[in-house]
C-alpha cells in the first residue's frame, strides 16, 4: 500500500519509495515474538521498502531527506 503525502506544521511531506527488496536468509522473517499477528505465512518472504522524503514548504522550497543505511561497514552492509 503506497504511503500518502501529508502536511505537518505547514510543510508537505511526500514519501518516496527508492528501493524494495527481500531480506537476507538470516533475517528473512521477523521473529513472531516481536511481531505477534504480523500476518506473514511460513513461505512468505519479508520484503523491506526503503524510503526517502521530499519536503515542500509554503514558499515552494523543496528538500530531499534520505538518511541512507550507513557506511560500508555498517550492520546493514551484509544485506543491503
Amino acid at each position: 500500500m503506497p504511503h500518502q503525502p501529508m502536511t505537518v506544521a505547514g510543510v508537505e511531506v511526500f514519501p518516496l519509495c527508492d528501493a524494495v527488496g527481500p531480506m537476507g536468509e538470516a533475517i528473512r522473517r521477523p521473529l513472531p515474538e516481536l511481531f505477534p499477528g504480523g500476518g506473514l505465512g511460513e513461505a512468505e518472504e519479508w520484503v523491506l521498502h526503503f524510503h526517502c522524503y521530499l519536503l515542500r514548504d509554503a514558499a515552494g522550497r523543496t528538500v530531499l531527506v534520505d538518511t541512507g543505511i550507513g557506511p560500508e561497514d555498517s550492520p546493514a552492509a551484509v544485506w543491503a
Side-chain angles (χ1 to χ4, degrees), residues 4-80:
Q4 298 298 316
M6 66 175 57
T7 301
V8 178
V11 176
E12 292 178 284
V13 180
F14 299 89
L16 306 171
C17 186
D18 59 356
V20 176
M23 299 302 288
E25 190 64 38
I27 51 176
R28 181 158 296 223
R29 285 189 285 276
L31 300 172
E33 59 271 14
L34 292 177
F35 301 95
L40 284 180
E42 279 300 312
E44 292 183 80
E45 283 189 310
W46 188 17
V47 177
L48 184 62
H49 294 243
F50 295 88
H51 289 84
C52 57
Y53 299 89
L54 182 70
L55 310 178
R56 183 170 53 206
D57 68 8
R61 296 175 292 195
T62 57
V63 174
L64 180 65
V65 178
D66 188 346
T67 61
I69 58 167
E72 287 183 30
D73 61 347
S74 74
V78 298
W79 55 264

